[in-house]
Coordinates of all heavy atoms in Angstrom, one line a residue:
N1042 N -112.3 18.8 43.1 CA -111.8 20.1 42.9 C -111.3 20.7 44.3 O -110.2 21.3 44.3 CB -113.1 21.0 42.4 CG -112.6 22.4 42.1 OD1 -111.7 22.6 41.3 ND2 -113.2 23.4 42.7
A1043 N -112.1 20.4 45.4 CA -111.6 20.8 46.7 C -110.2 20.2 47.1 O -109.3 20.8 47.6 CB -112.7 20.5 47.7
V1044 N -110.1 18.9 46.7 CA -108.8 18.2 47.0 C -107.7 18.8 46.2 O -106.6 19.1 46.8 CB -108.9 16.7 46.8 CG1 -107.6 16.0 46.8 CG2 -109.9 16.0 47.8
K1045 N -107.9 19.0 44.9 CA -106.8 19.5 44.0 C -106.4 20.9 44.3 O -105.3 21.3 44.2 CB -107.3 19.3 42.5 CG -107.2 17.9 42.1 CD -107.7 17.7 40.7 CE -106.7 18.1 39.7 NZ -107.0 17.8 38.3
Y1046 N -107.5 21.7 44.5 CA -107.2 23.2 44.5 C -107.5 23.9 45.9 O -107.2 25.1 46.0 CB -108.0 23.9 43.4 CG -107.8 23.3 42.1 CD1 -108.8 22.5 41.4 CD2 -106.5 23.5 41.4 CE1 -108.5 22.0 40.1 CE2 -106.3 22.9 40.1 CZ -107.4 22.2 39.5 OH -107.1 21.6 38.3
G1047 N -108.0 23.2 46.7 CA -108.4 23.9 48.1 C -107.4 23.6 49.1 O -106.2 23.2 48.8
S1048 N -107.7 23.9 50.3 CA -106.9 23.7 51.4 C -107.7 23.4 52.7 O -108.9 23.7 52.7 CB -105.9 24.9 51.7 OG -106.7 26.1 52.1
G1049 N -107.0 22.9 53.7 CA -107.7 22.5 54.9 C -108.7 21.5 54.8 O -108.8 20.8 53.8
P1050 N -109.5 21.3 55.8 CA -110.5 20.2 55.7 C -111.6 20.7 54.7 O -111.8 21.9 54.4 CB -111.1 20.2 57.1 CG -110.6 21.4 57.9 CD -109.5 21.9 57.1
M1051 N -112.3 19.7 54.2 CA -113.4 19.9 53.2 C -114.7 19.5 54.0 O -114.9 18.5 54.7 CB -113.3 18.9 52.0 CG -112.0 19.2 51.2 SD -111.6 17.8 50.3 CE -110.9 16.7 51.5
E1052 N -115.8 20.3 53.7 CA -117.1 20.1 54.3 C -118.1 19.7 53.2 O -118.2 20.5 52.2 CB -117.6 21.3 55.1 CG -118.9 21.0 55.7 CD -119.3 22.2 56.4 OE1 -118.6 22.9 57.2 OE2 -120.6 22.6 56.3
L1053 N -118.8 18.7 53.3 CA -119.9 18.2 52.3 C -121.2 18.4 53.0 O -121.3 17.8 54.1 CB -119.5 16.8 51.8 CG -120.7 16.1 51.0 CD1 -120.9 17.0 49.7 CD2 -120.4 14.7 50.7
S1054 N -122.1 19.1 52.4 CA -123.4 19.2 53.0 C -124.4 18.8 51.9 O -124.3 19.2 50.7 CB -123.7 20.6 53.4 OG -122.8 21.1 54.3
L1055 N -125.5 18.0 52.3 CA -126.5 17.7 51.3 C -127.8 18.2 52.0 O -128.0 17.8 53.3 CB -126.5 16.2 51.2 CG -125.3 15.6 50.4 CD1 -125.0 14.3 50.8 CD2 -125.4 15.8 48.9
L1056 N -128.8 18.7 51.2 CA -130.0 19.2 51.8 C -131.0 18.9 50.8 O -131.1 19.4 49.7 CB -129.9 20.8 52.1 CG -131.2 21.5 52.6 CD1 -131.5 21.0 53.9 CD2 -131.0 22.9 52.5
L1057 N -132.1 18.2 51.3 CA -133.3 18.0 50.5 C -134.4 19.0 50.9 O -134.6 19.1 52.1 CB -133.9 16.6 50.8 CG -133.3 15.4 50.0 CD1 -133.7 14.1 50.6 CD2 -133.6 15.5 48.6
A1058 N -134.8 19.8 50.0 CA -135.8 20.8 50.3 C -136.8 20.9 49.0 O -136.4 21.3 47.9 CB -135.3 22.2 50.6
G1059 N -138.1 20.5 49.3 CA -139.0 20.5 48.2 C -138.5 19.5 47.1 O -138.4 18.4 47.4
D1060 N -138.5 20.0 45.9 CA -138.2 19.2 44.7 C -136.7 19.4 44.3 O -136.3 19.2 43.2 CB -139.1 19.5 43.5 CG -139.0 20.9 43.1 OD1 -138.3 21.7 43.7 OD2 -139.5 21.2 42.0
T1061 N -135.8 19.8 45.3 CA -134.5 20.1 45.0 C -133.5 19.5 46.0 O -133.8 19.5 47.2 CB -134.2 21.6 44.9 OG1 -135.0 22.2 44.0 CG2 -132.7 22.0 44.5
L1062 N -132.4 19.0 45.5 CA -131.3 18.5 46.4 C -130.1 19.5 46.3 O -129.7 19.7 45.1 CB -130.8 17.1 46.1 CG -129.6 16.6 46.7 CD1 -129.9 16.4 48.2 CD2 -129.2 15.3 46.1
S1063 N -129.7 20.0 47.3 CA -128.5 20.9 47.2 C -127.3 20.2 47.7 O -127.3 19.6 48.8 CB -128.7 22.2 48.0 OG -129.8 23.0 47.6
V1064 N -126.3 20.2 46.9 CA -124.9 19.6 47.3 C -124.0 20.9 47.5 O -123.7 21.6 46.6 CB -124.4 18.7 46.2 CG1 -123.1 18.1 46.6 CG2 -125.5 17.6 45.9
T1065 N -123.4 21.0 48.7 CA -122.5 22.1 48.9 C -121.2 21.5 49.4 O -121.2 20.6 50.3 CB -123.0 23.0 50.0 OG1 -124.3 23.5 49.5 CG2 -122.1 24.1 50.3
V1066 N -120.0 22.0 48.8 CA -118.7 21.6 49.3 C -118.0 22.9 49.6 O -118.0 23.9 48.8 CB -118.0 20.9 48.2 CG1 -116.5 20.6 48.6 CG2 -118.7 19.5 47.9
R1067 N -117.5 22.9 50.8 CA -116.7 24.1 51.3 C -115.2 23.6 51.5 O -115.0 22.5 52.0 CB -117.2 24.6 52.7 CG -118.5 25.3 52.6 CD -118.9 25.7 53.9 NE -120.1 26.6 53.9 CZ -121.4 26.1 53.9 NH1 -121.6 24.9 54.0 NH2 -122.4 27.0 53.9
D1068 N -114.2 24.5 51.4 CA -112.9 24.2 51.7 C -112.2 25.6 52.0 O -112.8 26.6 51.7 CB -112.1 23.5 50.5 CG -111.9 24.3 49.3 OD1 -111.0 25.2 49.3 OD2 -112.5 24.0 48.3
G1069 N -111.0 25.6 52.4 CA -110.3 26.8 52.9 C -109.5 27.4 51.7 O -108.9 28.4 52.0
G1070 N -109.6 27.0 50.6 CA -108.8 27.6 49.4 C -109.5 28.9 49.0 O -110.7 29.0 48.9
A1071 N -108.7 29.8 48.6 CA -109.2 31.2 48.2 C -109.4 31.2 46.7 O -110.3 32.1 46.2 CB -108.3 32.2 48.6
T1072 N -108.8 30.3 45.9 CA -109.1 30.3 44.5 C -110.4 29.7 44.1 O -110.7 28.6 44.5 CB -107.9 29.6 43.7 OG1 -106.6 30.1 44.2 CG2 -108.0 29.7 42.3
L1073 N -111.2 30.6 43.3 CA -112.5 30.1 42.9 C -112.3 29.3 41.6 O -111.5 29.7 40.7 CB -113.4 31.3 42.7 CG -113.6 32.1 43.9 CD1 -114.6 33.3 43.6 CD2 -114.3 31.3 45.0
P1074 N -113.1 28.2 41.5 CA -113.1 27.5 40.2 C -113.7 28.4 39.0 O -114.5 29.3 39.3 CB -114.0 26.3 40.5 CG -114.9 26.7 41.5 CD -114.1 27.7 42.4
R1075 N -113.2 28.0 37.9 CA -113.6 28.8 36.7 C -114.4 27.7 35.8 O -114.0 26.7 35.6 CB -112.5 29.2 36.0 CG -112.8 30.1 34.7 CD -111.5 30.7 34.1 NE -111.9 31.0 32.8 CZ -111.1 31.3 31.8 NH1 -109.8 31.1 32.1 NH2 -111.4 31.7 30.7
H1076 N -115.5 28.3 35.3 CA -116.3 27.5 34.3 C -115.8 27.7 32.9 O -116.0 28.8 32.4 CB -117.7 27.8 34.5 CG -118.6 26.9 33.6 ND1 -119.6 27.5 32.7 CD2 -118.7 25.6 33.4 CE1 -120.1 26.5 32.1 NE2 -119.7 25.4 32.5
W1077 N -115.2 26.8 32.3 CA -114.6 26.9 31.0 C -115.7 26.6 30.0 O -116.6 25.7 30.2 CB -113.4 25.9 30.8 CG -112.3 26.2 31.7 CD1 -112.2 25.8 33.1 CD2 -111.1 27.0 31.5 NE1 -111.1 26.2 33.6 CE2 -110.3 26.9 32.7 CE3 -110.7 27.6 30.4 CZ2 -109.2 27.5 32.8 CZ3 -109.5 28.3 30.5 CH2 -108.8 28.3 31.7
S1078 N -115.5 27.2 28.8 CA -116.5 26.8 27.7 C -116.2 25.4 27.3 O -115.1 24.9 27.4 CB -116.2 27.8 26.5 OG -116.5 29.1 26.8
A1079 N -117.2 24.7 26.8 CA -117.0 23.3 26.4 C -116.0 23.2 25.3 O -116.1 24.0 24.3 CB -118.3 22.7 25.9
D1080 N -115.0 22.3 25.5 CA -114.0 22.1 24.5 C -113.6 20.6 24.5 O -112.9 20.3 25.5 CB -112.8 23.0 24.6 CG -111.7 22.9 23.7 OD1 -111.9 22.0 22.8 OD2 -110.8 23.7 23.7
P1081 N -114.1 19.9 23.5 CA -113.7 18.4 23.7 C -112.2 18.1 23.5 O -111.7 17.0 23.8 CB -114.6 17.8 22.6 CG -114.9 18.8 21.6 CD -114.9 20.1 22.5
R1082 N -111.4 19.1 23.0 CA -110.0 18.9 22.9 C -109.2 19.2 24.2 O -108.1 18.8 24.3 CB -109.5 19.8 21.7 CG -110.2 19.4 20.3 CD -109.7 20.5 19.3 NE -110.5 21.7 19.8 CZ -110.4 22.8 19.3 NH1 -109.7 23.0 18.2 NH2 -111.1 23.8 19.7
R1083 N -109.8 19.9 25.0 CA -109.1 20.3 26.3 C -109.0 19.0 27.2 O -110.0 18.2 27.3 CB -109.9 21.3 27.1 CG -109.2 21.8 28.3 CD -110.0 22.9 29.1 NE -111.2 22.4 29.6 CZ -112.5 22.9 29.2 NH1 -112.6 23.7 28.3 NH2 -113.5 22.4 29.7
V1084 N -107.9 18.9 27.7 CA -107.6 17.8 28.7 C -107.8 18.3 30.1 O -107.1 19.2 30.5 CB -106.2 17.1 28.5 CG1 -106.0 16.1 29.6 CG2 -106.1 16.6 27.1

């Protein structure tokens, strides 16, 4: 997503805390991704 829609360098951070692993990706793009409803016909 960061490669296709972002800009500038990308930063990947992984953090283990308790029983959770956080995966964070940052990029310089201003457009936020949108969560679409599930649709198996969508390409």
Side-chain angles (χ1 to χ4, degrees):
N1042 188 57
V1044 168
K1045 287 177 77 173
Y1046 305 109
S1048 64
M1051 297 159 287
E1052 180 184 314
L1053 169 64
S1054 303
L1055 298 151
L1056 174 66
L1057 278 168
D1060 64 350
T1061 303
L1062 170 67
S1063 296
V1064 177
T1065 301
V1066 174
R1067 289 180 172 87
D1068 71 71
T1072 304
L1073 299 179
R1075 181 174 165 204
H1076 183 233
W1077 299 83
S1078 299
D1080 182 355
R1082 296 169 295 178
R1083 184 178 66 243
V1084 176

